[in-house]
Amino acid sequence: MTIPINPLLCMVRRFESQAHLSVDDGGALLALPFTKQALGEGSYIVREGQAPTHCCVLLSGFAYRQKTHSNGGRQILSIHIPGDILDLQNLFLDVSDHNVQTMTRSEVAFIPRPYLVDLFHGRSAIGKAILLSLLVEASISREWLLNVGRRDARGRVAHLLCEFASRINVPGEPVGSSCRLPMTQQQIGDAVGLTPVHVNRTLRSLETEGLLHRSNHSIGFPDWSGLLNAAGFSSLYLHADQQA
Amino acid sequence: MTIPINPLLCMVRRFESQAHLSVDDGGALLALPFTKQALGEGSYIVREGQAPTHCCVLLSGFAYRQKTHSNGGRQILSIHIPGDILDLQNLFLDVSDHNVQTMTRSEVAFIPRPYLVDLFHGRSAIGKAILLSLLVEASISREWLLNVGRRDARGRVAHLLCEFASRINVPGEPVGSSCRLPMTQQQIGDAVGLTPVHVNRTLRSLETEGLLHRSNHSIGFPDWSGLLNAAGFSSLYLHADQQA
DNA sequence: CGTTATCTTGACCGTCGTCAAACAGGGTGG
DNA sequence: CCACCCTGTTTGACGACGGTCAAGATAACG
């Protein structure tokens, strides 16, 4: 007889990596009621203008925040990987100001918002953990603003790839070998403020320079430090070495 | 004999407008120890890479967050008006990932971080208020990303002006008459990802269109709805009508 | 195996950046 | 009160980065 693993464990691990949680705190998080759901590519999790009722944890797959402009342009605001809690952003806001959408097929756990709000108020260590993960998200958002506002196409694309590879990096494996890239060039463009055509040109140019290598939906990094250099990337803003 | 007004009152008012605080909560905030300081234009309040020890409240004047890129470009990340708490962003982070600087001469109250951290943990209503103001900042940050990534020069500048006028608007007075604009064109450019030269051209063009009017350091809005339109501005993201 | 989304490439064009110089304003000191 | 400087604004000429449009190649998927 096998013990089923609680899907929320990935959320607890994420929190523990940033803030110290007691055994009780961890237990309270694992005891949260949730409904698990499988979503197809491009499904909306939250829509702009809606009142959010749930917070959800991304169990597998990738997702992104997104906002569209009346002229038709779409801006991707952040990218999320398994273990991320989507919609902490809306924990106390009455109305969502942006959309959250899956990038690939995903599994998601929906937690009714009141339960998480109760934990925020009742257990200050969890409150701190929630706030901390919001602070890290805000920091990444600031770096994206710098990216779009002050780097040229080459730097923008390189920076996005550096960040993505750094974030999904598993601790044992060296950063910079290769990773799966679930984004289309259209989506990369929407994230860094370029047209898909120019993203294509930029990627090809980076590839002929020997800074990266593409194959089906993966991306390899033959010259990781060269790419870091091209991106002007410094991982400080990810606050990954924040002590717990 | 006059009763001196506590400078922290503006912070408490700000919190109260977003989240419900009890009389005790308000008292605890007003009882925070602080040192008041007058700062000249361009003074650094927090520097990138530093460990923040204080949180500070902007009592008068204007300030901004900023990040510089190795190529020399500077990106302004947010603008702050009196009553804002700078450096809630660093409440739980070991190292700051950006600079905070005054835009004009300012008065600032420095609160040692541990005291605010204690209130966050001890009084959950204050914790909620802190989190809420971070959520609103994050929302503004998202809108800025959309602004820089997906609007043209005209829209970007117009949008910045709309946001600024909306935020400093005092409840009684109608938005859109006129307001003081403490930014140089250089700073406007750093905020929206343009060169100062092009900001100048854009402002002049908006002025000849009759969408705004400039005089010394003030800006008037003869056609407020026209400017809103040019900016594609919707105030939803400011979450100003968030119920307390 | 056909249909659709995504990628790729080329030619052309426009928005915005760059460089440089003149102009206005506000403070300081003689 | 005026010369002076410094910062910020204004304007023009020119060039480049990236957008637009369009067509063909490739890959994904039912």
Side-chain angles (χ1 to χ4, degrees), chain A residues 137-154:
Chain A
E137 259 194 59
S139 173
I140 295 175
S141 182
R142 286 191 286 272
E143 185 70 26
W144 278 44
L145 191 53
L146 175 65
N147 199 33
V148 174
R150 287 297 163 204
R151 276 190 259 262
D152 62 8
R154 188 180 125 96

PDB file of all heavy atoms in Angstrom, chain A residues 137-154:
ATOM      1  N   GLU A 137       8.468  38.056  -6.524  1.00  0.00           N
ATOM      2  CA  GLU A 137       7.779  38.306  -7.793  1.00  0.00           C
ATOM      3  C   GLU A 137       7.886  39.760  -8.216  1.00  0.00           C
ATOM      4  O   GLU A 137       8.080  40.084  -9.393  1.00  0.00           O
ATOM      5  CB  GLU A 137       6.291  37.942  -7.662  1.00  0.00           C
ATOM      6  CG  GLU A 137       5.945  36.611  -8.247  1.00  0.00           C
ATOM      7  CD  GLU A 137       4.428  36.455  -8.397  1.00  0.00           C
ATOM      8  OE1 GLU A 137       3.805  37.274  -9.094  1.00  0.00           O
ATOM      9  OE2 GLU A 137       3.881  35.501  -7.815  1.00  0.00           O
ATOM     10  N   ALA A 138       7.762  40.659  -7.232  1.00  0.00           N
ATOM     11  CA  ALA A 138       7.857  42.085  -7.543  1.00  0.00           C
ATOM     12  C   ALA A 138       9.246  42.422  -8.062  1.00  0.00           C
ATOM     13  O   ALA A 138       9.410  43.225  -8.987  1.00  0.00           O
ATOM     14  CB  ALA A 138       7.539  42.918  -6.299  1.00  0.00           C
ATOM     15  N   SER A 139      10.249  41.782  -7.481  1.00  0.00           N
ATOM     16  CA  SER A 139      11.621  42.036  -7.917  1.00  0.00           C
ATOM     17  C   SER A 139      11.822  41.585  -9.365  1.00  0.00           C
ATOM     18  O   SER A 139      12.449  42.278 -10.170  1.00  0.00           O
ATOM     19  CB  SER A 139      12.592  41.303  -6.994  1.00  0.00           C
ATOM     20  OG  SER A 139      13.905  41.409  -7.481  1.00  0.00           O
ATOM     21  N   ILE A 140      11.277  40.425  -9.685  1.00  0.00           N
ATOM     22  CA  ILE A 140      11.382  39.929 -11.052  1.00  0.00           C
ATOM     23  C   ILE A 140      10.651  40.873 -12.006  1.00  0.00           C
ATOM     24  O   ILE A 140      11.130  41.181 -13.095  1.00  0.00           O
ATOM     25  CB  ILE A 140      10.813  38.497 -11.146  1.00  0.00           C
ATOM     26  CG1 ILE A 140      11.679  37.549 -10.325  1.00  0.00           C
ATOM     27  CG2 ILE A 140      10.734  38.038 -12.592  1.00  0.00           C
ATOM     28  CD1 ILE A 140      11.154  36.128 -10.251  1.00  0.00           C
ATOM     29  N   SER A 141       9.523  41.368 -11.567  1.00  0.00           N
ATOM     30  CA  SER A 141       8.763  42.312 -12.373  1.00  0.00           C
ATOM     31  C   SER A 141       9.575  43.575 -12.660  1.00  0.00           C
ATOM     32  O   SER A 141       9.568  44.104 -13.775  1.00  0.00           O
ATOM     33  CB  SER A 141       7.480  42.653 -11.626  1.00  0.00           C
ATOM     34  OG  SER A 141       6.677  43.516 -12.366  1.00  0.00           O
ATOM     35  N   ARG A 142      10.307  44.043 -11.667  1.00  0.00           N
ATOM     36  CA  ARG A 142      11.164  45.214 -11.873  1.00  0.00           C
ATOM     37  C   ARG A 142      12.246  44.920 -12.898  1.00  0.00           C
ATOM     38  O   ARG A 142      12.537  45.758 -13.763  1.00  0.00           O
ATOM     39  CB  ARG A 142      11.820  45.623 -10.546  1.00  0.00           C
ATOM     40  CG  ARG A 142      10.893  46.299  -9.582  1.00  0.00           C
ATOM     41  CD  ARG A 142      11.665  46.896  -8.417  1.00  0.00           C
ATOM     42  NE  ARG A 142      12.145  45.893  -7.468  1.00  0.00           N
ATOM     43  CZ  ARG A 142      11.449  45.454  -6.434  1.00  0.00           C
ATOM     44  NH1 ARG A 142      10.241  45.923  -6.208  1.00  0.00           N
ATOM     45  NH2 ARG A 142      11.957  44.562  -5.609  1.00  0.00           N
ATOM     46  N   GLU A 143      12.842  43.750 -12.819  1.00  0.00           N
ATOM     47  CA  GLU A 143      13.891  43.409 -13.782  1.00  0.00           C
ATOM     48  C   GLU A 143      13.320  43.329 -15.193  1.00  0.00           C
ATOM     49  O   GLU A 143      13.962  43.716 -16.156  1.00  0.00           O
ATOM     50  CB  GLU A 143      14.555  42.085 -13.393  1.00  0.00           C
ATOM     51  CG  GLU A 143      15.736  41.689 -14.268  1.00  0.00           C
ATOM     52  CD  GLU A 143      16.957  42.573 -14.074  1.00  0.00           C
ATOM     53  OE1 GLU A 143      17.109  43.156 -12.987  1.00  0.00           O
ATOM     54  OE2 GLU A 143      17.753  42.688 -15.031  1.00  0.00           O
ATOM     55  N   TRP A 144      12.103  42.849 -15.322  1.00  0.00           N
ATOM     56  CA  TRP A 144      11.456  42.793 -16.643  1.00  0.00           C
ATOM     57  C   TRP A 144      11.246  44.185 -17.191  1.00  0.00           C
ATOM     58  O   TRP A 144      11.391  44.426 -18.390  1.00  0.00           O
ATOM     59  CB  TRP A 144      10.119  42.057 -16.540  1.00  0.00           C
ATOM     60  CG  TRP A 144      10.246  40.557 -16.570  1.00  0.00           C
ATOM     61  CD1 TRP A 144      11.158  39.805 -15.886  1.00  0.00           C
ATOM     62  CD2 TRP A 144       9.445  39.634 -17.316  1.00  0.00           C
ATOM     63  NE1 TRP A 144      10.953  38.475 -16.158  1.00  0.00           N
ATOM     64  CE2 TRP A 144       9.923  38.342 -17.029  1.00  0.00           C
ATOM     65  CE3 TRP A 144       8.366  39.779 -18.182  1.00  0.00           C
ATOM     66  CZ2 TRP A 144       9.355  37.203 -17.592  1.00  0.00           C
ATOM     67  CZ3 TRP A 144       7.795  38.639 -18.739  1.00  0.00           C
ATOM     68  CH2 TRP A 144       8.289  37.368 -18.445  1.00  0.00           C
ATOM     69  N   LEU A 145      10.887  45.102 -16.319  1.00  0.00           N
ATOM     70  CA  LEU A 145      10.681  46.481 -16.763  1.00  0.00           C
ATOM     71  C   LEU A 145      11.993  47.057 -17.293  1.00  0.00           C
ATOM     72  O   LEU A 145      12.034  47.693 -18.351  1.00  0.00           O
ATOM     73  CB  LEU A 145      10.141  47.317 -15.598  1.00  0.00           C
ATOM     74  CG  LEU A 145       9.611  48.712 -15.904  1.00  0.00           C
ATOM     75  CD1 LEU A 145       8.575  48.690 -16.993  1.00  0.00           C
ATOM     76  CD2 LEU A 145       9.045  49.345 -14.640  1.00  0.00           C
ATOM     77  N   LEU A 146      13.065  46.802 -16.565  1.00  0.00           N
ATOM     78  CA  LEU A 146      14.391  47.222 -17.044  1.00  0.00           C
ATOM     79  C   LEU A 146      14.706  46.557 -18.373  1.00  0.00           C
ATOM     80  O   LEU A 146      15.241  47.179 -19.294  1.00  0.00           O
ATOM     81  CB  LEU A 146      15.456  46.858 -16.007  1.00  0.00           C
ATOM     82  CG  LEU A 146      16.918  47.113 -16.390  1.00  0.00           C
ATOM     83  CD1 LEU A 146      17.176  48.595 -16.552  1.00  0.00           C
ATOM     84  CD2 LEU A 146      17.868  46.526 -15.363  1.00  0.00           C
ATOM     85  N   ASN A 147      14.354  45.290 -18.470  1.00  0.00           N
ATOM     86  CA  ASN A 147      14.646  44.520 -19.675  1.00  0.00           C
ATOM     87  C   ASN A 147      13.981  45.137 -20.900  1.00  0.00           C
ATOM     88  O   ASN A 147      14.622  45.408 -21.916  1.00  0.00           O
ATOM     89  CB  ASN A 147      14.146  43.086 -19.476  1.00  0.00           C
ATOM     90  CG  ASN A 147      14.763  42.094 -20.428  1.00  0.00           C
ATOM     91  OD1 ASN A 147      15.923  42.242 -20.821  1.00  0.00           O
ATOM     92  ND2 ASN A 147      14.009  41.096 -20.835  1.00  0.00           N
ATOM     93  N   VAL A 148      12.679  45.381 -20.767  1.00  0.00           N
ATOM     94  CA  VAL A 148      11.914  45.897 -21.896  1.00  0.00           C
ATOM     95  C   VAL A 148      12.243  47.366 -22.174  1.00  0.00           C
ATOM     96  O   VAL A 148      12.274  47.812 -23.312  1.00  0.00           O
ATOM     97  CB  VAL A 148      10.407  45.721 -21.638  1.00  0.00           C
ATOM     98  CG1 VAL A 148       9.582  46.369 -22.719  1.00  0.00           C
ATOM     99  CG2 VAL A 148      10.068  44.245 -21.535  1.00  0.00           C
ATOM    100  N   GLY A 149      12.517  48.113 -21.092  1.00  0.00           N
ATOM    101  CA  GLY A 149      12.732  49.539 -21.263  1.00  0.00           C
ATOM    102  C   GLY A 149      14.123  49.906 -21.720  1.00  0.00           C
ATOM    103  O   GLY A 149      14.299  50.888 -22.444  1.00  0.00           O
ATOM    104  N   ARG A 150      15.119  49.135 -21.350  1.00  0.00           N
ATOM    105  CA  ARG A 150      16.489  49.599 -21.539  1.00  0.00           C
ATOM    106  C   ARG A 150      17.441  48.648 -22.248  1.00  0.00           C
ATOM    107  O   ARG A 150      18.623  48.942 -22.378  1.00  0.00           O
ATOM    108  CB  ARG A 150      17.105  49.978 -20.193  1.00  0.00           C
ATOM    109  CG  ARG A 150      16.562  51.269 -19.611  1.00  0.00           C
ATOM    110  CD  ARG A 150      16.887  52.448 -20.489  1.00  0.00           C
ATOM    111  NE  ARG A 150      16.058  53.622 -20.165  1.00  0.00           N
ATOM    112  CZ  ARG A 150      15.821  54.582 -21.051  1.00  0.00           C
ATOM    113  NH1 ARG A 150      16.291  54.515 -22.272  1.00  0.00           N
ATOM    114  NH2 ARG A 150      15.064  55.609 -20.723  1.00  0.00           N
ATOM    115  N   ARG A 151      16.965  47.492 -22.696  1.00  0.00           N
ATOM    116  CA  ARG A 151      17.870  46.618 -23.437  1.00  0.00           C
ATOM    117  C   ARG A 151      17.425  46.528 -24.884  1.00  0.00           C
ATOM    118  O   ARG A 151      16.251  46.690 -25.200  1.00  0.00           O
ATOM    119  CB  ARG A 151      17.900  45.218 -22.816  1.00  0.00           C
ATOM    120  CG  ARG A 151      18.868  45.119 -21.644  1.00  0.00           C
ATOM    121  CD  ARG A 151      19.057  43.678 -21.221  1.00  0.00           C
ATOM    122  NE  ARG A 151      18.251  43.394 -20.044  1.00  0.00           N
ATOM    123  CZ  ARG A 151      18.710  43.395 -18.798  1.00  0.00           C
ATOM    124  NH1 ARG A 151      19.976  43.662 -18.562  1.00  0.00           N
ATOM    125  NH2 ARG A 151      17.919  43.128 -17.796  1.00  0.00           N
ATOM    126  N   ASP A 152      18.356  46.262 -25.787  1.00  0.00           N
ATOM    127  CA  ASP A 152      17.989  46.050 -27.189  1.00  0.00           C
ATOM    128  C   ASP A 152      17.500  44.610 -27.368  1.00  0.00           C
ATOM    129  O   ASP A 152      17.519  43.814 -26.428  1.00  0.00           O
ATOM    130  CB  ASP A 152      19.165  46.379 -28.115  1.00  0.00           C
ATOM    131  CG  ASP A 152      20.353  45.482 -27.857  1.00  0.00           C
ATOM    132  OD1 ASP A 152      20.220  44.511 -27.076  1.00  0.00           O
ATOM    133  OD2 ASP A 152      21.424  45.738 -28.417  1.00  0.00           O
ATOM    134  N   ALA A 153      17.049  44.306 -28.564  1.00  0.00           N
ATOM    135  CA  ALA A 153      16.406  43.019 -28.821  1.00  0.00           C
ATOM    136  C   ALA A 153      17.287  41.849 -28.376  1.00  0.00           C
ATOM    137  O   ALA A 153      16.820  40.922 -27.707  1.00  0.00           O
ATOM    138  CB  ALA A 153      16.061  42.888 -30.301  1.00  0.00           C
ATOM    139  N   ARG A 154      18.556  41.910 -28.743  1.00  0.00           N
ATOM    140  CA  ARG A 154      19.487  40.840 -28.393  1.00  0.00           C
ATOM    141  C   ARG A 154      19.548  40.630 -26.886  1.00  0.00           C
ATOM    142  O   ARG A 154      19.427  39.504 -26.386  1.00  0.00           O
ATOM    143  CB  ARG A 154      20.868  41.243 -28.933  1.00  0.00           C
ATOM    144  CG  ARG A 154      21.937  40.210 -28.843  1.00  0.00           C
ATOM    145  CD  ARG A 154      23.230  40.815 -29.433  1.00  0.00           C
ATOM    146  NE  ARG A 154      24.307  40.718 -28.476  1.00  0.00           N
ATOM    147  CZ  ARG A 154      25.204  39.746 -28.473  1.00  0.00           C
ATOM    148  NH1 ARG A 154      25.129  38.801 -29.392  1.00  0.00           N
ATOM    149  NH2 ARG A 154      26.164  39.700 -27.580  1.00  0.00           N
TER     150      ARG A 154
END
